[in-house]
CSV table of all heavy atoms in Angstrom, one decimal:
chain,number,residue,atom,x,y,z
A,10,SER,N,152.3,11.0,215.5
A,10,SER,CA,152.3,10.7,216.9
A,10,SER,C,151.2,9.7,217.4
A,10,SER,O,151.4,9.0,218.3
A,10,SER,CB,152.3,11.9,217.7
A,10,SER,OG,151.1,12.6,217.5
A,11,LEU,N,150.1,9.7,216.7
A,11,LEU,CA,149.0,8.9,217.1
A,11,LEU,C,149.0,7.5,216.5
A,11,LEU,O,149.0,7.4,215.3
A,11,LEU,CB,147.6,9.6,216.8
A,11,LEU,CG,146.4,8.9,217.2
A,11,LEU,CD1,146.3,8.8,218.7
A,11,LEU,CD2,145.2,9.6,216.7
A,12,ARG,N,149.1,6.5,217.3
A,12,ARG,CA,149.1,5.1,216.8
A,12,ARG,C,147.8,4.3,217.0
A,12,ARG,O,147.4,3.6,216.2
A,12,ARG,CB,150.3,4.3,217.4
A,12,ARG,CG,151.6,4.9,217.2
A,12,ARG,CD,152.1,4.5,215.8
A,12,ARG,NE,153.5,5.0,215.6
A,12,ARG,CZ,153.8,5.7,214.6
A,12,ARG,NH1,153.0,6.1,213.7
A,12,ARG,NH2,155.1,6.1,214.5
A,13,VAL,N,147.2,4.5,218.2
A,13,VAL,CA,146.0,3.8,218.6
A,13,VAL,C,145.0,4.9,219.1
A,13,VAL,O,145.4,5.7,220.0
A,13,VAL,CB,146.3,2.8,219.7
A,13,VAL,CG1,145.0,2.1,220.2
A,13,VAL,CG2,147.2,1.7,219.2
A,14,LEU,N,143.8,4.8,218.6
A,14,LEU,CA,142.7,5.7,219.1
A,14,LEU,C,141.6,4.9,219.5
A,14,LEU,O,140.9,4.2,218.7
A,14,LEU,CB,142.3,6.7,218.0
A,14,LEU,CG,141.3,7.8,218.4
A,14,LEU,CD1,141.8,8.6,219.6
A,14,LEU,CD2,141.0,8.7,217.2
A,15,ASP,N,141.3,4.9,220.8
A,15,ASP,CA,140.2,4.1,221.4
A,15,ASP,C,139.1,5.1,221.8
A,15,ASP,O,139.2,5.8,222.8
A,15,ASP,CB,140.7,3.3,222.6
A,15,ASP,CG,139.7,2.4,223.2
A,15,ASP,OD1,138.5,2.5,222.8
A,15,ASP,OD2,140.0,1.5,224.0
A,16,LEU,N,138.0,5.1,221.0
A,16,LEU,CA,136.8,5.9,221.3
A,16,LEU,C,135.6,5.1,221.5
A,16,LEU,O,134.5,5.5,221.2
A,16,LEU,CB,136.6,6.9,220.1
A,16,LEU,CG,137.7,7.9,219.9
A,16,LEU,CD1,137.5,8.7,218.6
A,16,LEU,CD2,137.8,8.9,221.1
A,17,HIS,N,135.8,3.9,222.2
A,17,HIS,CA,134.6,3.0,222.3
A,17,HIS,C,133.6,3.6,223.3
A,17,HIS,O,134.0,4.3,224.3
A,17,HIS,CB,135.0,1.6,222.8
A,17,HIS,CG,135.5,1.5,224.2
A,17,HIS,ND1,136.7,2.0,224.6
A,17,HIS,CD2,134.9,1.0,225.3
A,17,HIS,CE1,136.9,1.7,225.9
A,17,HIS,NE2,135.8,1.1,226.3
A,18,TYR,N,132.3,3.5,223.0
A,18,TYR,CA,131.2,4.1,223.7
A,18,TYR,C,131.4,5.5,224.1
A,18,TYR,O,131.2,5.9,225.3
A,18,TYR,CB,130.9,3.2,225.0
A,18,TYR,CG,130.4,1.8,224.6
A,18,TYR,CD1,131.3,0.8,224.4
A,18,TYR,CD2,129.1,1.6,224.4
A,18,TYR,CE1,130.8,-0.5,224.1
A,18,TYR,CE2,128.6,0.4,224.0
A,18,TYR,CZ,129.5,-0.7,223.8
A,18,TYR,OH,129.0,-1.9,223.4
A,19,ALA,N,131.9,6.3,223.2
A,19,ALA,CA,132.2,7.7,223.4
A,19,ALA,C,131.1,8.7,222.9
A,19,ALA,O,131.3,9.9,222.8
A,19,ALA,CB,133.5,8.1,222.8
A,20,ASP,N,129.9,8.1,222.6
A,20,ASP,CA,128.7,8.9,222.2
A,20,ASP,C,129.0,9.7,220.9
A,20,ASP,O,128.5,10.8,220.6
A,20,ASP,CB,128.2,9.9,223.2
A,20,ASP,CG,127.5,9.2,224.4
A,20,ASP,OD1,126.9,8.2,224.1
A,20,ASP,OD2,127.7,9.7,225.5
A,21,ILE,N,129.9,9.1,220.0
A,21,ILE,CA,130.1,9.6,218.7
A,21,ILE,C,128.9,9.3,217.8
A,21,ILE,O,128.5,8.1,217.8
A,21,ILE,CB,131.4,9.1,218.1
A,21,ILE,CG1,132.6,9.6,218.9
A,21,ILE,CG2,131.6,9.5,216.6
A,21,ILE,CD1,133.9,8.9,218.6
A,22,ASP,N,128.4,10.3,217.2
A,22,ASP,CA,127.2,10.0,216.3
A,22,ASP,C,127.6,10.2,214.8
A,22,ASP,O,128.7,10.4,214.5
A,22,ASP,CB,126.1,10.9,216.7
A,22,ASP,CG,126.3,12.4,216.5
A,22,ASP,OD1,127.3,12.7,215.8
A,22,ASP,OD2,125.6,13.2,217.0
A,23,GLN,N,126.6,10.0,214.0
A,23,GLN,CA,126.8,10.0,212.6
A,23,GLN,C,127.4,11.3,212.1
A,23,GLN,O,128.1,11.4,211.2
A,23,GLN,CB,125.4,9.9,211.9
A,23,GLN,CG,124.7,8.6,212.3
A,23,GLN,CD,123.3,8.6,211.8
A,23,GLN,OE1,123.0,8.8,210.6
A,23,GLN,NE2,122.3,8.4,212.7
A,24,GLU,N,127.0,12.4,212.7
A,24,GLU,CA,127.5,13.7,212.3
A,24,GLU,C,129.0,14.0,212.6
A,24,GLU,O,129.6,14.7,211.9
A,24,GLU,CB,126.7,14.8,213.0
A,24,GLU,CG,125.2,14.7,212.9
A,24,GLU,CD,124.7,14.7,211.5
A,24,GLU,OE1,125.2,15.4,210.6
A,24,GLU,OE2,123.8,13.9,211.2
A,25,CYS,N,129.5,13.3,213.6
A,25,CYS,CA,130.9,13.5,213.9
A,25,CYS,C,131.9,12.7,213.1
A,25,CYS,O,133.1,13.1,213.0
A,25,CYS,CB,131.1,13.0,215.4
A,25,CYS,SG,130.2,13.9,216.6
A,26,THR,N,131.4,11.7,212.4
A,26,THR,CA,132.4,10.8,211.7
A,26,THR,C,133.1,11.5,210.5
A,26,THR,O,134.3,11.2,210.3
A,26,THR,CB,131.7,9.6,211.1
A,26,THR,OG1,130.7,9.9,210.3
A,26,THR,CG2,131.3,8.7,212.3
A,27,GLU,N,132.5,12.5,209.8
A,27,GLU,CA,133.2,13.2,208.8
A,27,GLU,C,134.3,14.0,209.3
A,27,GLU,O,135.4,14.0,208.7
A,27,GLU,CB,132.2,14.0,207.9
A,27,GLU,CG,131.3,13.2,207.1
A,27,GLU,CD,130.3,14.0,206.3
A,27,GLU,OE1,130.6,15.2,206.1
A,27,GLU,OE2,129.3,13.4,205.8
A,28,LEU,N,134.1,14.7,210.4
A,28,LEU,CA,135.2,15.5,211.0
A,28,LEU,C,136.3,14.6,211.6
A,28,LEU,O,137.5,14.9,211.4
A,28,LEU,CB,134.6,16.4,212.2
A,28,LEU,CG,133.7,17.5,211.8
A,28,LEU,CD1,133.1,18.2,213.0
A,28,LEU,CD2,134.5,18.5,211.0
A,29,LEU,N,135.9,13.5,212.2
A,29,LEU,CA,136.8,12.6,212.7
A,29,LEU,C,137.7,12.0,211.6
A,29,LEU,O,138.9,11.9,211.7
A,29,LEU,CB,136.1,11.4,213.4
A,29,LEU,CG,137.0,10.4,214.1
A,29,LEU,CD1,137.9,10.9,215.2
A,29,LEU,CD2,136.1,9.2,214.6
A,30,THR,N,137.1,11.6,210.5
A,30,THR,CA,137.8,11.1,209.3
A,30,THR,C,138.8,12.1,208.8
A,30,THR,O,139.9,11.8,208.5
A,30,THR,CB,136.8,10.6,208.3
A,30,THR,OG1,136.0,9.6,208.8
A,30,THR,CG2,137.5,10.2,207.0
A,31,GLU,N,138.4,13.3,208.7
A,31,GLU,CA,139.2,14.4,208.2
A,31,GLU,C,140.5,14.5,209.0
A,31,GLU,O,141.6,14.6,208.5
A,31,GLU,CB,138.5,15.7,208.2
A,31,GLU,CG,139.3,16.9,207.7
A,31,GLU,CD,138.6,18.2,207.8
A,31,GLU,OE1,137.4,18.2,207.7
A,31,GLU,OE2,139.3,19.2,208.0
A,32,GLY,N,140.4,14.5,210.3
A,32,GLY,CA,141.5,14.6,211.2
A,32,GLY,C,142.4,13.3,211.1
A,32,GLY,O,143.6,13.4,211.1
A,33,LEU,N,141.7,12.2,211.1
A,33,LEU,CA,142.5,10.9,211.1
A,33,LEU,C,143.2,10.6,209.8
A,33,LEU,O,144.3,10.0,209.8
A,33,LEU,CB,141.6,9.7,211.4
A,33,LEU,CG,141.0,9.7,212.8
A,33,LEU,CD1,140.0,8.6,213.0
A,33,LEU,CD2,142.1,9.7,213.8
Side-chain angles (χ1 to χ4, degrees):
S10 61
L11 183 65
R12 299 281 185 233
V13 176
L14 183 58
D15 187 348
L16 296 171
H17 73 285
Y18 293 93
D20 289 325
I21 294 171
D22 63 14
Q23 304 170 54
E24 307 303 320
C25 295
T26 58
E27 288 180 20
L28 288 172
L29 181 63
T30 295
E31 180 184 329
L33 293 176

